[in-house]
Every structure is written in structure tokens, then in C-alpha cells.
Amino acid sequence: MDEAKQQRLKKVTQSIIGLPTLPAVVTQLIGLIDNPKTSARNVAQLISADQALTAKILKLANSAFYGFPREIATVDLAVVVLGFETVKNLGLSVSVLERFSSAGENTHFDRQKFWEHSIACGVAAKLLAEKLQYRSFSGEAFAAGILHDIGKLILSRYFPVDFKQIIDLMEEGDLYIGKAEEDVIGVTHADVGGWLAQRWNLPDQLEDAIKFHHAPGRAVPGRNELPSLIHLADLLCRRERIGDAGGERLPSLDPAALRTFGIHDEPKVAIKRIFAYGDELQAAMERAEAFSSIARSSEEDAEASAGQAPNEPASDDVADGDEAQVQTAVSDSGLTDPSESHP
Amino acid sequence: MSGEVDGLYAASGPDDPPPDGPQNAPPPPLPLDRLRELVDLVKESGPEDVGWELGVHVEGMEEAVKEFSVRVQALEQENRQLQDRLTRGHEQYEQLRESMNELLNLHQLSETISTSFRIEDILDSLMDLSDRFVPYETCGVFSLDEEGNKPEVEASRGQDVPALQVRVRSHWEDGIIDWVMRERRPVVIDDIDALSSEAVQPRCFVMIPLIVGGKNVGIFILHCAREKDDFTLGEIQLLDVLANQTAAAVSNSRHYSDLESTHDQLVESQQQLLISAKQAAIGELAGGVAHEVNNPLQIILSRVQLMIAQNTDCEPVTKGLKLIENNVRRISKIIRALLGFAGHNKADAEWTRFDLNQAIQQAIALVKHQLDAQAIEIDIDIPDDLPALLGNIGELEQVFINLMLNAQNAMPKGGDLRIIARVDGEEIELRFSDSGTGVLPEHQDRLFEPFFTTRGDEGGTGLGLAVSYSIVEVHKGTLSISSASEQGATFIIRLPVPSPGLETSASDANLRHSIPSPLARAVSAQGDSADVRGEQASNRDESIHIDG
């Protein structure tokens, strides 16, 4: 990222106060799975302490998406059957789904469809990881797909005014959302998402995947498989029109993504090989219904609690009380430089 | 730690300068334990009793003791911190050592792999090394194929392999093996039987897919006497690496043996090509000569017949002419056989129906001279009403010639050659039995291998029987040997009786391309059959000359 953009990103992120944090259990989980000495029992003990998380992980582990022929009744079995990575990424995905579900913030943004797109992208990433034989990423790939557009949620939540402008600009000018974001605030949702991943100490792989999912060619050489995978998965989901990631326009294809997987054909021809997995993606999405239902219920819970109490009482480490102030502060700070914005 | 305590103690030795005074004197260093005792003593019985030992005046004792206590506490804290660091250091050292061991194990596997091209060795070292960091009771490598057949055990170790096989079968039927292969990573599951039966140790299965180039080739399964929860991320990663290495090695080993057999085939066909070229040239020459000789022969014959007709009154002349006529007819017969032979042996010769009896007779005509020279009696027992066979008569004649020359070489001092044909169901069985030296049992298996010869020093190429075998195979028949030592050998050809409608079998033509030109082989038979036994190879090249 060039210097000027770095500055702009700093300017944007500095005005974000009260950012949701990851639940402690997920942070611990990420740390635990960094250590080769971690046993399945360690992971199960950590997760089992959080009953809600345990229930969700077991629900997903037993879903058709994983399709294990027997019942997975305990977290420790989930760990050894689905793998440490998968359980970690399940925990991470579920937590992010919950942390960012809150209703009534933004009318230009259909969260249900946003999550549908994110889940589809995760499913597509896992599918492509298998098809392109990058098996080491299949666990990571799913989480990366779910998280790749997290920057959009940040923008819509913390910069509602700017975000509305971005959406308007996108619709009027028939622009791709990333372009509109650049025009309005000078950085894209990928940049903001990458920054968030860093703040949350997510694994480097995930951070790269979020940051470079529109331009995998710009990722560090040798670390660009996951960004490439997410880039292709994103294109596949948009082509299949699953969910809505904002805007009708497809992001442009970065040929580097195909080259990463040894596909050196003419990009317009080569991408057809990726698009050919559309039917399989649609079938896999049906199996992934459990994820969508968790996303839906999270949104509904959030809506319900928002309706009951404006100042969410129980929400542990989210500084929800400050949110109103935050938004005012942002508006006051005049983040959007009118001269920069699109006429 | 102990060093510091020693230092304190040493400082109280005789070389120390004497304390300046009771107030200012720094407390003389004492061992920690002793200090603790003194502090306790002061608390119990007052400072006076311990004053002498510390070498200070009683008046300053209380303050000194306080100071001591603080110092003792500080030292104890330091002691604890150092001990913590030591423990951590030990732990890190242990972890490092373990990692080193794991690396060494992996290295060892890589080494076995890079030096071994035998699948058995590779699987052996996989099972050895796995046991070192994931001890198991029983383990097995099971092969899986693309058709989805049951997993079959390829290699195994341990206490109860049959039981493991049964369990693997049931996992396969439950779809768990299939699931693991799709996941492409090691999976641990409970051994449900061990869970349900009480008082038995918990057990689990570790299933590690073996995948080469995206294709499932097998699964490595460990049955371990431990709980599934005990497995660490590191162990599972290690098993994954191990399995990948093994799969790659197995794939390399397969490539290697493929390469080897391709190489062998190449050498074989190259040799055959060389021989073909040489023999084709000789065959062409022989055919030409036969043709050239045949014309003058016809003239001689007609003149002799004319002379016989004109000289009926002169007995001696007629007798002489009759002898000439008979011998010319004999020459003519051989030449006709040779020409017919050359005609049959065009590379694109079609399959026709032919009479086995006639084919045998033609083959005999070509080798009779050689057999006669070696005092070999030929006894033919072929019924006249045999059904016609379908095939390339030239090629089959060559097979018969090969077998007859083989018999000849087995009987250097003369003997009997019996040729018997019988109808046996849908097949005709043809036997060539000699009364020669027989074939050693250890040679029987290899008899039809190309280049297998016991007469290498006499110029046998080891191709005669191999070529015969492949010709019979192309004709959908079989060629086998039954031999009891000392009683000679019997070669048995079984050929199918064709169904009535089938005239020519053009579809078989492509099959026959794998065999060198039939003419070349026909002639090579003269030179190269009979590789297996006997000793003397008669003047083989002459045998195709028409000097009978």
C-alpha cells in the first residue's frame, strides 16, 4: 500500500471508536491452535466453557455441509474429526457473525444478503480449494471467505453517512463498489477489513486474504494463494448471484489469481473453468444451510434485543453505549473531504 | 543459585576485614538456611542468644534482624524467579529436543524414501516411524481403487490384524473411509467397541489418507490404545506430513517400475527389430532364389518326362531318368513350400481357413532335412476329419517349425518326435512330444519369456518360443509345456475351432502389429528357436537353402 493510502487509512481508522472486539474465547482459540502441543482436549475444554458457542459449533459440525456419517456429539470429537483448523475457523466465523449482527443501522444495506454472499464465498473458497488441490487451505479458506467483506460492515456501521454516499455513487455511476469507496473515502473495504484483521490478531493468512481479495497479485509472493482463492470464490459467487455484496458490477479479475494455481490460459478462457463449478457451488450452498440459519438467527436476535433495549445491557466487550457518540463524532470530524468526493 | 549462597558464605571467611562497628557494620553474609534459623531463634528467645554467632553487639540486633529478614525475603524471591526461569528453560529445551526428534524422524523417512524404490520398504518405514511418535497396537495400509471396491490390506503390523481388517471393512461400509478420503487429512475417531465394553482401555482409530496427484490410492489406519482427546495438533500434522511423503514415494516407486518395464520393452523391441531386418533380407533372398530355381527346374522336369517317354525301351536309362524325375519333383516340392511360405508371410496377410494337417506337412517339408540328418523319427497322428482352423497359416507354420527345431536341439543323438492332434470340445489340441532331455523345472516358468535362453553361447537369442507364444496368443489359443525330466518335453498348443460364419478376422489385424513381421519371424525360427535345451545348433542357416 502506498504512503498516501496508508495515511488515508490511518485517518479513517483513527476515527473508529468502540470497535467490537473478538470474544476472548476466540482469541484464545487462535492462540491455542498456533501451538503444536495443543491437544483436542485443550480445545474442547476452552470451547465447552462457552455454552452458546459450543451449541453452534456442534450444530454446524453435524450439518450436511460437513456430512460426517456419524453424529458428532462432543466438541473433542468435532476437533479430531473435523480438524483443529476447522473448529478454530468455525469459532471465528460464528463469533464474527454474532458480533456484527445488529439491526436498524443502515437501510442501504441488506445484511441478510450480505451474510448470504459471505457464506457463499466461504463455501466457494472451500470448494475451489479442493478443486484446485490446495488442501492445506480448506479450513482457512472457509473462514477467509466469510470474513473477506468484513470491511463493508465496518464502513456501514461507523461511517453511515459516507457509506450512503458510496452506495449512491455506485448506483448512479454504475461503478464497482471498490471504486466508489476510493472516490468517497480514499480507501476500500478491503483495506479497512485488513486493518481490522490486524487489530484482532487474526492469522496472517486471513489478514492477507481480506486485504488483497480484490488484488491478489499485490500480496506478498508466496503468500498469495489464499487471497487468490478468495478472489476467485468471490467472482464465482457473484456470477452465481448468491446473496448480495453490494452492487451489480463484478469486480475485475486479477489474472494473478489464476496464475497462482498454475492456470496460464487466456484469463477470459481460464475463468470459465472456475465458473464451471457454479452448479457444484449451488449444491454445496444447500448443504451449508446451517450457516445461513445461524446468520439469520443472529440478525433476528440482534433486532429483537435492539427493539427491547436501545442500550444493549449484556453485550460484554462491545462498547455499544458509545456508538451513538461515535457516529456523531465521525460526522463532526468531516472525514469525507468534499473535494475528494464524486460530484 | 547455589553459587550465590556459597559466595555469601565465603565472604564471612577469615580474610574479611573486621566489622567497623555494631551500627554501621554490614551484616556478615551467612548461608540462607542458617540465616532463617537465626531469625527464628531471635523471634523465639530474643536477640541476646544469637548475638555471639553473628559477631555483633546485642544492642543493634533487632534492626539487624529486620534487615536480614528483608534480605532473606528478597533472596527467596530471586530464588523463586530463577527457579521459574530454569523450569521454563527446561521446558523449552525439552520441546526443542522433541521437535528435533520429530524432524529427525521425518528426515529418516525422506531418506528411506529417496533410497528405496520398493513399495514394501516404503510402507515398512512408514509403519516403523509412525510407531515412534504415535504408538499403536495394530496398523495397516489399505489400498483403495477408483471403482470403489472394498479396501484391501497391503501391509500391516501389530497384535490383531484380522480384527483391524474387520473394523476397517465396517468403517468402509459406514462411509467413514470415504469421508476421510474426501477430507484429505488425518481423522481420529473413537473405537466404539472399546467404549461400550466396560473396563477396557479406551481406544481410537487414526485414519490417514494416502493421496497421490489428487488421486486416492490408499488409507493408513492406526489402532491406538489411547483417548482421542490426547491427540495434539502437532501429532496430527506430523502424521499428515508422513502420509504425504509416503504417498509421493509410493507414486515415485510406481513410476520407477513403469519406467523399468518400458525400458525392458524398448530393449526387447529394438532387438526384435534388428533381427527382423536381418532375417527379412535373408527371407527375401531365399524367396528370390526359390523363384529363380523353380523355372529351370520346370524345364528340367518336362525334359526328363519327355526323355522317359521317348526311351521306354532302354531300361537303365529309364531307371536313371526316373531317379532324376523323383529328385526334381522333390526339389520342386520344397520350393513350392518355400514359395507358399513366403506368400503367406506377407505382413498384411489375412486370416483364412486352413487345414491343420496341410500346415504341419508344409512345415515338416522345410525342416525334414535337418531332422533326418540328426536321425530323428517323425510320427504324425492327425485325424483327417479335423475342422478347419482360422488364422494366419504362415505364422502358425512358423510356430510348428520353431517347436520342431526346439525338439531337434533337445535330441542331439536322435530320437522320436510325435505330433498328435485331437479335437477337445471347442478347441483343437496339438502336441509336440520329443524324447529328449526335458526342461528343468526352474526353467519352465521362464521358458516363454523373451530373451530367456540356455543356449546363449551358441547363438540362441531367446526369441523363438517367445514369438511362438505371442503368435498362438494372437490366435486366441494357448501354448504351454509339460515336461518330466529324462522323458522329454511336450509342447501343447490349443487353438479355438472357429464358429462357422467367421471367415476373416480383420479386427484382429491390429493385435498382430505388436509382433514383428511374420516372414522375419518365420526365418528367424530357423535360426533362433530351440533356445532352451540341447547343445548343438546344426547348420541352421543352411536349412533354408534348397539343397534337399
Side-chain angles (χ1 to χ4, degrees):
Chain A
M1 210 184 297
D2 60 64
E3 192 71 22
K5 191 162 192 179
Q6 198 77 52
Q7 285 299 321
R8 290 199 296 274
L9 180 63
K10 203 173 164 195
K11 194 174 157 195
V12 170
T13 53
Q14 268 175 350
S15 40
I16 298 175
I17 307 162
L19 187 74
T21 55
L22 273 187
V25 57
V26 174
T27 316
Q28 281 172 35
L29 194 58
I30 292 171
L32 209 54
I33 286 173
D34 242 6
N35 181 358
K37 295 277 161 206
T38 298
S39 73
R41 183 174 295 124
N42 301 143
V43 176
Q45 276 167 353
L46 176 68
I47 292 176
S48 301
D50 184 332
Q51 285 187 4
L53 184 62
T54 303
K56 279 178 183 145
I57 284 182
L58 288 180
K59 183 183 171 193
L60 294 173
N62 284 300
S63 73
F65 187 59
Y66 294 106
F68 185 62
R70 286 189 193 158
E71 196 201 342
I72 299 176
T74 56
V75 177
D76 53 0
L77 188 59
V79 173
V80 290
V81 166
L82 300 183
F84 287 75
E85 283 290 327
T86 303
V87 169
K88 174 187 89 179
N89 288 308
L90 273 181
L92 180 60
S93 307
V94 167
S95 305
V96 170
L97 278 175
E98 283 181 342
R99 276 301 188 258
F100 276 97
S101 335
S102 43
E105 277 177 2
N106 203 308
T107 46
H108 339 283
F109 199 65
D110 185 334
R111 287 172 166 281
Q112 299 282 8
K113 287 198 164 166
F114 170 83
W115 285 123
E116 211 181 324
H117 168 73
S118 297
I119 290 165
C121 193
V123 173
K126 185 169 182 278
L127 180 76
L128 291 181
E130 283 159 20
K131 297 292 177 192
L132 302 173
Q133 289 182 18
Y134 273 75
R135 65 175 191 158
S136 52
F137 293 118
S138 61
E140 210 76 286
F142 185 70
I146 289 202
L147 299 178
H148 78 286
D149 269 348
I150 196 84
K152 283 184 191 162
L153 285 182
I154 303 272
L155 291 179
S156 83
R157 173 181 260 197
Y158 294 95
F159 307 101
V161 177
D162 302 279
F163 197 68
K164 178 165 180 359
Q165 207 176 333
I166 288 167
I167 298 285
D168 290 347
L169 179 58
M170 183 182 78
E171 282 167 0
E172 282 164 25
D174 189 24
L175 292 175
Y176 158 62
I177 188 166
K179 177 79 178 73
E181 286 165 343
E182 290 259 10
D183 284 355
V184 176
I185 57 171
V187 293
T188 68
H189 63 275
D191 301 321
V192 176
W195 165 81
L196 180 70
Q198 199 179 20
R199 275 280 298 258
W200 277 355
N201 279 324
L202 296 187
D204 292 348
Q205 293 255 26
L206 285 181
E207 186 188 325
D208 285 357
I210 295 168
K211 198 168 11 179
F212 297 116
H213 75 269
H214 287 304
R218 275 165 47 204
V220 182
R223 263 173 52 180
N224 51 6
E225 285 100 339
L226 197 56
S228 300
L229 199 62
I230 301 306
H231 181 66
L232 298 176
D234 190 19
L235 285 173
L236 178 58
C237 296
R238 283 163 175 267
R239 179 167 158 109
E240 290 295 318
R241 299 186 179 279
I242 307 175
D244 182 4
E248 286 290 297
R249 268 190 92 107
L250 257 65
S252 51
L253 167 71
D254 182 349
L258 291 162
R259 285 200 298 273
T260 305
F261 296 104
I263 305 172
H264 295 281
D265 303 342
E266 171 67 25
K268 276 183 187 164
V269 180
I271 194 67
K272 290 199 175 118
R273 279 173 61 179
I274 303 297
F275 289 158
Y277 296 121
D279 290 347
E280 280 187 64
L281 173 63
Q282 295 285 4
M285 275 309 280
E286 278 169 31
R287 293 197 295 275
E289 165 57 27
F291 286 92
S292 309
S293 92
I294 283 198
R296 269 198 304 279
S297 63
S298 295
E299 285 292 344
E300 280 158 18
D301 288 354
E303 213 157 320
S305 62
Q308 281 166 9
N311 292 330
E312 232 172 287
S315 183
D316 32 26
D317 28 24
V318 187
D320 289 284
D322 294 342
E323 213 154 279
Q325 294 167 24
V326 171
Q327 286 172 17
T328 323
V330 169
S331 314
D332 287 346
S333 75
L335 175 73
T336 313
D337 185 346
S339 63
E340 273 180 22
S341 68
H342 202 272
Chain B
M1 205 46 231
S2 63
E4 282 182 43
V5 177
D6 283 349
L8 283 170
Y9 194 60
S12 68
D15 294 345
D16 261 19
D20 294 340
Q23 299 293 332
N24 305 333
L30 281 175
L32 267 180
D33 292 348
R34 185 70 193 127
L35 269 175
R36 250 188 234 119
E37 277 172 31
L38 287 175
V39 170
D40 290 344
L41 200 61
V42 169
K43 279 180 189 157
E44 279 168 26
S45 51
E48 292 82 5
D49 293 348
V50 291
W52 62 269
E53 194 166 341
L54 291 168
V56 289
H57 289 294
V58 174
E59 293 87 55
M61 273 316 285
E62 278 204 50
E63 234 169 283
V65 165
K66 261 185 212 157
E67 221 172 297
F68 289 154
S69 308
V70 171
R71 247 188 98 174
V72 167
Q73 275 172 9
L75 283 170
E76 276 177 343
Q77 198 181 346
E78 200 180 333
N79 184 9
R80 274 196 302 275
Q81 281 172 357
L82 281 169
Q83 223 136 35
D84 279 354
R85 271 173 60 186
L86 195 68
T87 323
R88 273 203 303 277
H90 268 303
E91 272 170 19
Q92 279 172 356
Y93 172 73
E94 279 300 316
Q95 281 180 8
L96 202 66
R97 222 178 49 167
E98 273 177 47
S99 314
M100 279 296 290
N101 270 337
E102 285 171 358
L103 277 177
L104 279 175
N105 278 334
L106 278 182
H107 175 71
Q108 201 175 344
L109 183 78
S110 313
E111 211 165 40
T112 323
I113 284 160
S114 58
T115 52
S116 172
F117 284 111
R118 290 185 59 231
I119 292 184
E120 295 84 359
D121 295 348
I122 296 165
L123 297 184
D124 261 355
S125 55
L126 170 69
M127 293 186 291
D128 277 347
L129 287 168
S130 303
D131 196 30
R132 259 187 245 173
F133 44 89
V134 182
Y136 54 76
E137 287 185 334
T138 315
C139 80
V141 178
F142 294 81
S143 63
L144 297 169
D145 56 19
E146 302 281 308
E147 284 86 48
N149 288 322
K150 286 178 184 172
E152 295 295 341
V153 68
E154 291 272 314
S156 58
R157 283 281 169 83
Q159 299 172 352
D160 196 352
V161 174
L164 179 68
Q165 267 176 282
V166 171
R167 303 303 308 282
V168 167
R169 204 49 67 86
S170 78
H171 282 142
W172 177 77
E173 279 158 6
D174 291 350
I176 290 178
I177 300 232
D178 206 36
W179 190 84
V180 172
M181 295 311 292
R182 278 203 307 270
E183 285 289 307
R184 304 181 160 214
R185 53 176 179 77
V187 167
V188 184
I189 61 165
D190 289 312
D191 180 349
I192 298 173
D193 291 357
L195 280 182
S196 54
S197 54
E198 283 162 39
V200 179
Q201 204 182 351
R203 286 192 164 79
C204 63
F205 291 101
V206 189
M207 309 188 176
I208 308 141
L210 300 173
I211 294 165
V212 181
K215 271 191 185 164
N216 301 339
V217 292
I219 187 163
F220 179 41
I221 299 182
L222 310 176
H223 194 209
C224 305
R226 60 193 275 197
E227 277 187 71
K228 63 179 187 308
D229 306 24
D230 287 341
F231 279 90
T232 65
L233 182 59
E235 280 174 316
I236 288 181
Q237 284 170 342
L238 210 62
L239 285 173
D240 201 14
V241 173
L242 212 57
N244 286 341
Q245 289 254 28
T246 308
V250 168
S251 151
N252 284 345
S253 137
R254 283 189 185 158
H255 287 157
Y256 180 76
S257 58
D258 281 358
L259 201 67
E260 236 178 6
S261 74
T262 310
H263 178 253
D264 286 350
Q265 279 171 12
L266 198 69
V267 169
E268 187 186 319
S269 53
Q270 214 166 22
Q271 297 235 18
Q272 286 187 351
L273 206 66
L274 265 177
I275 293 164
S276 304
K278 191 177 100 189
Q279 307 291 19
I282 297 170
E284 209 171 308
L285 192 68
V289 169
H291 196 74
E292 289 301 315
V293 171
N294 200 38
N295 289 338
L297 218 52
Q298 293 308 316
I299 298 167
I300 295 171
L301 190 62
S302 57
R303 282 300 153 106
V304 168
Q305 283 168 341
L306 192 65
M307 282 160 81
I308 290 171
Q310 286 167 351
N311 297 288
T312 45
D313 47 349
C314 184
E315 181 68 17
V317 174
T318 316
K319 203 177 169 192
L321 286 172
K322 285 243 157 132
L323 193 65
I324 294 174
E325 192 200 359
N326 282 344
N327 276 293
V328 169
R329 281 188 192 280
R330 195 172 154 206
I331 296 173
S332 180
K333 194 178 165 193
I334 293 169
I335 282 173
R336 266 204 310 279
L338 199 63
L339 275 175
F341 194 71
H344 285 308
N345 280 306
K346 284 181 189 136
D348 52 357
E350 286 201 333
W351 281 23
T352 52
R353 282 178 189 275
F354 66 90
D355 176 23
L356 182 64
N357 223 326
Q358 195 195 330
I360 296 275
Q361 293 295 349
Q362 290 200 42
I364 290 173
L366 288 171
V367 294
K368 190 164 188 343
H369 164 70
Q370 273 175 278
L371 298 181
D372 286 350
Q374 221 160 287
I376 293 169
E377 291 284 325
I378 304 178
D379 175 11
I380 300 171
D381 175 7
I382 298 177
D384 290 332
D385 56 350
L386 277 185
L389 288 173
L390 184 62
N392 182 327
I393 184 167
E395 286 184 3
L396 288 170
E397 275 175 25
Q398 181 203 328
V399 173
F400 306 149
I401 291 169
N402 284 350
L403 293 179
M404 285 189 275
L405 291 174
N406 198 47
Q408 179 211 344
N409 282 302
M411 300 181 286
K413 298 196 176 83
D416 296 320
L417 172 60
R418 284 173 62 82
I419 303 174
I420 306 166
R422 290 288 180 269
V423 176
D424 180 14
E426 295 296 299
E427 289 178 325
I428 289 179
E429 188 187 85
L430 184 62
R431 290 169 168 263
F432 288 75
S433 306
D434 63 50
S435 58
T437 48
V439 179
L440 293 172
E442 62 264 36
H443 288 164
Q444 287 191 15
D445 286 345
R446 304 189 52 204
L447 208 57
F448 301 110
E449 273 180 27
F451 306 112
F452 176 75
T453 175
T454 56
R455 297 190 306 115
D457 50 338
E458 294 156 28
T461 60
L463 281 172
L465 285 175
V467 165
S468 301
Y469 187 88
S470 64
I471 291 173
V472 175
E473 211 171 37
V474 167
H475 285 83
K476 301 188 172 69
T478 57
L479 172 59
S480 57
I481 179 172
S482 106
S483 172
S485 284
E486 308 297 318
Q487 287 172 27
T490 299
F491 285 87
I492 304 157
I493 300 175
R494 299 180 72 89
L495 289 167
V497 175
S499 50
L502 218 60
E503 270 311 317
T504 55
S505 174
S507 63
D508 292 306
N510 57 344
L511 265 173
R512 288 180 291 137
H513 283 304
S514 57
I515 303 174
S517 134
L519 176 61
R521 260 182 288 113
V523 187
S524 90
Q526 310 270 333
D528 300 310
S529 73
D531 317 293
V532 188
R533 315 166 294 183
E535 31 150 340
Q536 191 256 333
S538 63
N539 47 348
R540 278 168 282 130
D541 280 348
E542 284 168 29
S543 68
I544 55 165
H545 294 167
I546 320 142
D547 53 3

